[in-house]
């Protein structure tokens, strides 16, 4: 039984107006507990609409959404429960920071959950450390922080609620390579430590290739495929045709294969590509590059 | 050929970040620490650097949004410190920013493109021509009567670019114009920038942290901690893999692969920055 399950999930925007549009169309999906899933898809493919269903921000036009086996629209209580089970970090979350201090901003979610002061304090300090926000910053105004720090504070605010499912919509948008790496590493670390289920929406195939175990590809309001990273990148040609880009390294490997070089095609990181080439050369030249 | 932009040892710090000791102001943190750069007419220059490296601060000096605390910026032969020439400077050097939603002011696309021209007092007939030309140049003419909110991010950025080129500038400075766009939007904007450079000879200074974008420029300037640390053609710049990584930047994946393979005693051309070059080089050793 997956932790997230959708049954014939359909959502139509602006029903009854000339702008009526099916944003997601008959989605049947099951995501297993503890996975780290990368979600990719063109702008307008329905990926944001889909994730907004997972914590009940949008109500399906038809179909059902089950979190831990329970229909989140069964009762008011189950909808509320879904919002605590599923933590959603929006795009550019730093724009949603509003509290006077970093501490209070991170504490906002846990407070709403009705936790004790001690528990809140513990969680705020714990998550702040996890996202690399030092003790002395906690009493500062969040608006004195750098862009990267602000984003980490916003993510910490959701992590502090300790959701079983953490969803992040383009958490690295607009950051430089160092900032991207930092955010992705802390998400990966959080995933490893807590064993929670993580879904990351991203436009960067390179990042997804390096961090996710599984990939969900959305196309034209439907699920194009959902599977292990290696299996999904095997379909590089089809993914490229959708206007998405596969990692540069994968394109190079595919071209070499087209030209008759016999190497495996499940390569999507530089590190792995290097190993494969060295092995290939060793076999060809009798152990020269071991 | 001549310079369109010349910066002579420019230094910059923010007003609230200096200390006064014995009546002498000294900056707590200098953002720019003496930048000397000449940008030639018609050049396509990419400026790379991590967040906080000073690259955006530098960009804002190029059309007098910021003025250097020390040193001089010349646009053509105009010193940007001459306030009464700011109008001329901004007409010669246009600027496009990161967020498409922050730079569109009108409710109809063509009115947005005309905004600067209205301020400049351009004749209505001439204005009509320039707006049409600008929209055609960025391939947004058929959207001229749309409302900006109906457009995608890439389309909005192209409208912002049209607003700048309607002023007929000699140079466009773009501060991370694709950072908030999806891959398709990025492609649209890049194609537009390249076309303006090639077909209209407009000088381009593009601030970015996407390595693949920088790889397409004529020249790449890498900034770190307020200084220029590399300034060369892309192939040369990207061959400094370790240096770039040490300042928080990436290199294209193909460059990194070749660099890694060479560590094992392979002898492949280290100036590889495109997929095609990489495939050719690998075919030579694998086949």
């Amino acid at each position: 039984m997956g932790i997230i399950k959708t049954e014939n999930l359909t959502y139509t925007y602006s029903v009854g107006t000339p702008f009526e549009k099916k944003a997601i169309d008959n989605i049947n999906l099951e995501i297993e507990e503890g996975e780290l899933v990368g979600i990719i898809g063109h702008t307008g493919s329905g990926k944001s609409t889909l994730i907004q269903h997972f914590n009940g921000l949008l109500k399906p036009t038809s179909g059902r959404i089950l979190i831990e086996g329970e229909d989140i629209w069964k009762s008011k209580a189950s909808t509320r429960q879904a919002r605590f089970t599923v933590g959603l970090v929006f795009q550019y979350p730093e724009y949603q920071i509003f509290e006077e201090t970093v501490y209070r901003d991170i504490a906002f979610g846990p407070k709403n959950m009705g936790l004790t002061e001690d528990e809140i304090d513990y969680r705020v300090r714990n998550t702040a450390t996890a996202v690399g926000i030092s003790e002395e910053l906690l009493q500062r105004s969040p608006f004195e922080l750098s862009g990267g720090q602000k984003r980490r504070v916003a993510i910490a605010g959701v992590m502090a609620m300790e959701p079983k499912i953490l969803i992040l919509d383009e958490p690295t948008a607009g950051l430089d390579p160092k900032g991207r790496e930092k955010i992705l590493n802390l998400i990966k670390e959080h995933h490893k430590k807590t064993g929670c289920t993580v879904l990351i929406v991203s436009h960067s195939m390179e990042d997804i290739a390096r961090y996710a175990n599984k990939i969900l590809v959305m196309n034209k309001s439907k699920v194009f495929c959902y599977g292990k990273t290696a299996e999904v990148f095997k379909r590089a040609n089809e993914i490229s045709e959708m206007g998405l880009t596969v990692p540069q390294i994968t394109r190079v490997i595919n071209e070499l294969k087209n030209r008759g070089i016999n190497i495996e095609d499940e390569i999507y990181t530089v590190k792995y590509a290097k190993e494969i080439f060295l092995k290939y050369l060793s076999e060809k030249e009798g152990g020269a590059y071991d | 050929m001549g310079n369109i932009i010349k910066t002579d040892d420019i230094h910059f710090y923010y007003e609230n970040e200096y200390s006064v000791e014995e009546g002498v102001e000294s900056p707590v943190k200098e953002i720019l620490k003496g930048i000397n750069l000449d940008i030639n007419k018609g050049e396509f220059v990419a400026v790379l650097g991590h967040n906080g490296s000073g690259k955006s601060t530098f960009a804002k000096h190029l059309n007098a949004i910021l003025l250097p605390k020390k040193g001089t910026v010349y646009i053509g032969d105009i010193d940007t410190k001459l306030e009464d020439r700011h109008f001329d400077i901004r007409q010669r050097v246009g600027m496009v920013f990161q967020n498409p939603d922050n730079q569109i002011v009108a409710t109809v696309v063509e009115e947005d493109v005309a905004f600067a021209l209205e301020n400049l007092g351009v004749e209505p007939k001439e204005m009509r021509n320039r707006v049409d030309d600008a929209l055609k140049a960025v391939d947004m003419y058929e959207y001229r009567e749309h409302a900006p909110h109906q457009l995608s991010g890439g389309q909005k950025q192209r409208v912002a670019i049209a607003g700048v080129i309607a002023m007929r500038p000699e140079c466009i400075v773009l501060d991370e114009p694709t950072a908030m766009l999806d891959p398709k939007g990025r492609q649209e904007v890049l194609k537009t920038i390249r076309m303006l450079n090639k077909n209209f000879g407009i000088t381009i200074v593009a601030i970015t942290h996407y390595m693949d974008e920088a790889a397409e420029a004529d020249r790449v300037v890498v900034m770190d901690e307020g200084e220029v640390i590399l300034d060369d053609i892309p192939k040369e710049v990207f061959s400094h893999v370790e240096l770039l990584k040490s300042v928080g930047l990436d290199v294209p994946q193909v460059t990194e692969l070749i660099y890694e393979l060479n560590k094992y005693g392979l002898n492949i051309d280290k100036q590889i920055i495109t997929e095609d070059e990489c495939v050719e080089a690998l075919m030579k050793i694998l086949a």
Side-chain angles (χ1 to χ4, degrees):
Chain A
M1 181 71 212
I3 189 160
I4 302 174
K5 190 165 190 264
T6 71
E7 292 173 354
N8 307 320
L9 188 68
T10 299
Y11 187 81
T12 313
Y13 279 103
S14 313
V15 178
T17 76
F19 301 104
E20 185 168 320
K21 186 186 181 291
K22 246 185 209 171
I24 49 173
D25 188 5
N26 202 28
I27 308 275
N28 288 292
L29 188 68
E30 194 165 338
I31 291 169
E32 303 76 7
E33 183 155 16
E35 292 284 359
L36 202 169
V37 182
I39 302 179
I40 57 177
H42 212 276
T43 306
S45 62
K47 57 189 191 312
S48 292
T49 306
L50 179 66
I51 60 169
Q52 288 178 50
H53 278 88
F54 292 160
N55 76 340
L57 278 180
L58 291 176
K59 194 172 182 178
T61 308
S62 63
R64 294 205 305 163
I65 160 98
L66 298 111
I67 299 291
E68 299 187 294
E70 186 168 318
D71 184 343
I72 66 168
W73 292 100
K74 199 182 70 187
S75 67
K76 266 200 173 138
S78 33
T79 313
R80 184 177 155 82
Q81 184 53 44
R83 294 197 173 126
F84 292 130
T85 309
V86 184
L88 186 55
V89 180
F90 287 101
Q91 248 182 71
Y92 298 98
E94 59 273 25
Y95 294 151
Q96 298 170 32
I97 289 177
F98 60 92
E99 275 285 7
E100 282 168 28
T101 66
V102 170
Y103 184 98
R104 287 173 56 155
D105 202 84
I106 300 177
F108 183 77
K111 226 175 231 165
N112 281 347
M113 296 173 75
L115 301 173
T116 64
E117 281 299 320
D118 284 351
E119 177 67 17
I120 294 171
D121 187 66
Y122 171 77
R123 288 198 185 184
V124 170
R125 288 176 198 281
N126 210 17
T127 36
T129 312
V131 299
I133 296 293
S134 61
E135 190 78 16
E136 76 250 26
L137 290 180
L138 288 178
Q139 293 313 322
R140 289 257 202 102
S141 160
F143 301 101
E144 288 172 24
L145 306 183
S146 76
Q149 287 174 325
K150 266 191 262 184
R151 185 165 304 178
R152 282 183 274 132
V153 167
I155 293 175
V158 178
M159 281 182 176
M161 295 171 75
E162 296 182 359
K164 278 192 186 163
I165 302 165
L166 178 64
I167 306 177
L168 304 106
D169 192 356
E170 291 204 51
T172 62
L175 296 181
D176 64 354
K178 213 196 240 163
R180 281 211 298 272
E181 189 109 355
K182 203 164 194 172
I183 297 262
L184 290 168
N185 280 336
L186 78 87
I187 294 168
K188 184 130 191 162
E189 201 50 45
H190 178 80
H191 173 249
K192 221 165 71 186
K193 213 168 64 191
T194 63
C196 68
T197 310
V198 177
L199 276 60
I200 304 177
V201 175
S202 177
H203 282 308
S204 166
M205 297 291 176
E206 277 87 356
D207 288 347
I208 293 267
R210 272 174 44 215
Y211 287 91
N213 318 97
K214 284 190 138 187
I215 299 183
L216 169 65
V217 184
M218 293 289 295
N219 188 36
K220 294 184 180 158
S221 313
K222 288 182 187 288
V223 172
F224 170 75
C225 66
Y226 173 57
K228 290 228 156 46
T229 305
E231 286 159 21
V232 172
F233 280 130
K234 263 191 203 165
R235 304 175 73 174
N237 285 340
E238 292 164 85
I239 294 176
S240 300
E241 273 164 26
M242 280 174 212
L244 297 171
T245 49
V246 293
Q248 201 180 30
I249 214 77
T250 308
R251 292 198 296 265
V252 168
I253 300 293
N254 287 348
E255 180 59 22
L256 288 171
K257 282 185 73 76
N258 283 344
R259 300 214 196 167
I261 303 290
N262 185 24
I263 37 174
E264 62 176 281
D265 49 10
E266 294 183 4
I267 299 172
Y268 39 85
T269 64
V270 171
K271 204 172 140 219
Y272 192 48
K274 177 191 81 178
E275 283 165 22
I276 293 297
F277 283 125
L278 291 174
K279 201 171 125 215
Y280 185 91
L281 286 168
S282 283
E283 280 162 13
K284 197 177 139 207
E285 292 168 26
Y289 298 102
D290 278 349
Chain B
M1 279 280 232
N3 292 335
I4 166 101
I5 294 167
K6 184 178 166 61
T7 76
D8 183 11
D9 191 34
I10 58 172
H11 289 255
F12 185 82
Y13 55 88
Y14 282 98
E15 292 295 346
N16 52 1
E17 289 181 356
Y18 64 84
S19 58
V20 182
E21 262 176 59
E22 293 169 14
V24 183
E25 285 179 16
S26 59
V28 172
K29 185 175 182 269
E30 265 198 320
I31 316 275
L32 299 178
K33 300 172 183 166
I35 307 276
N36 289 292
L37 272 183
D38 287 1
I39 291 168
N40 295 318
K41 274 189 186 142
E43 240 184 336
F44 182 167
V45 182
V47 181
L48 282 175
H50 64 80
N51 291 351
S53 61
K55 60 190 193 310
S56 291
T57 304
F58 172 71
K60 289 185 184 124
H61 277 77
L62 303 183
N63 75 346
I65 294 174
L66 293 175
L67 298 175
K69 299 286 184 206
K70 205 184 123 199
T72 315
V73 179
Y74 295 98
I75 303 304
D77 53 2
I78 312 171
D79 181 341
T80 58
K81 284 202 193 76
L82 303 170
E83 216 171 302
D84 56 340
R85 303 295 302 276
H86 282 182
F87 234 68
D88 300 328
I89 290 169
R90 289 181 185 145
Q91 217 169 324
R92 294 175 92 164
V93 180
M95 188 116 181
V96 176
F97 297 95
Q98 187 184 94
N99 190 338
D101 291 320
N102 288 353
Q103 46 193 331
I104 289 183
V105 289
T107 50
V108 180
V109 165
E110 62 179 9
E111 285 178 13
D112 191 76
V113 176
F115 180 75
L117 302 181
E118 286 170 355
N119 289 342
L120 292 171
V122 173
E123 293 293 319
K125 204 173 156 217
E126 168 72 4
M127 197 187 296
R128 181 77 256 170
N129 288 339
R130 286 212 205 174
V131 168
D132 289 350
D133 288 350
L135 282 169
K136 281 174 191 161
V138 300
D139 201 15
M140 285 297 291
Y141 183 67
E142 54 183 306
Y143 292 92
R144 63 190 179 281
E145 288 174 357
H146 278 60
H149 75 265
Q150 295 170 318
L151 307 179
S152 72
Q155 290 173 328
K156 280 185 219 169
Q157 270 315 47
R158 284 187 284 149
V159 170
I161 293 172
V164 170
I165 60 177
M167 293 196 286
R168 306 264 159 97
E170 291 166 52
C171 175
I172 303 181
V173 177
L174 304 104
D175 189 2
E176 297 191 34
T178 63
M180 297 178 86
L181 305 181
D182 66 357
K184 186 163 168 264
R186 276 181 63 196
Q187 283 312 320
E188 291 169 6
V189 169
L190 285 175
K191 208 177 111 202
T192 305
I193 295 171
R194 275 199 301 273
M195 191 278 299
L196 293 174
N197 178 249
K198 271 215 177 71
N199 300 1
F200 294 88
I202 297 176
T203 310
I204 302 286
V205 179
I207 315 286
T208 182
H209 44 234
Y210 286 113
M211 304 306 133
D212 47 342
E213 291 178 10
E216 294 188 29
D218 299 326
R219 173 177 165 196
V220 178
V221 172
V222 182
M223 289 187 62
D224 184 50
E225 306 292 330
E227 288 174 284
V228 172
I229 57 165
L230 289 169
D231 178 3
D232 215 318
I233 56 167
K235 278 176 179 298
E236 200 46 62
V237 165
F238 287 127
S239 66
H240 298 274
V241 176
E242 289 296 320
L243 178 62
L244 290 171
K245 291 208 157 192
S246 75
V247 298
L249 293 171
D250 272 335
V251 294
Q253 280 192 326
V254 291
T255 313
E256 189 176 355
L257 175 67
I258 302 299
Y259 171 79
E260 288 292 331
L261 288 173
N262 279 339
K263 273 192 193 163
Y264 287 82
L266 288 166
N267 192 18
I268 314 172
D269 177 8
K270 62 176 182 160
Q271 294 199 346
I272 280 177
I273 57 172
T274 70
E275 272 165 59
D276 292 346
E277 290 167 351
C278 180
V279 169
E280 294 306 329
L282 289 173
M283 279 306 283
K284 267 188 215 151
I285 58 163
L286 296 173

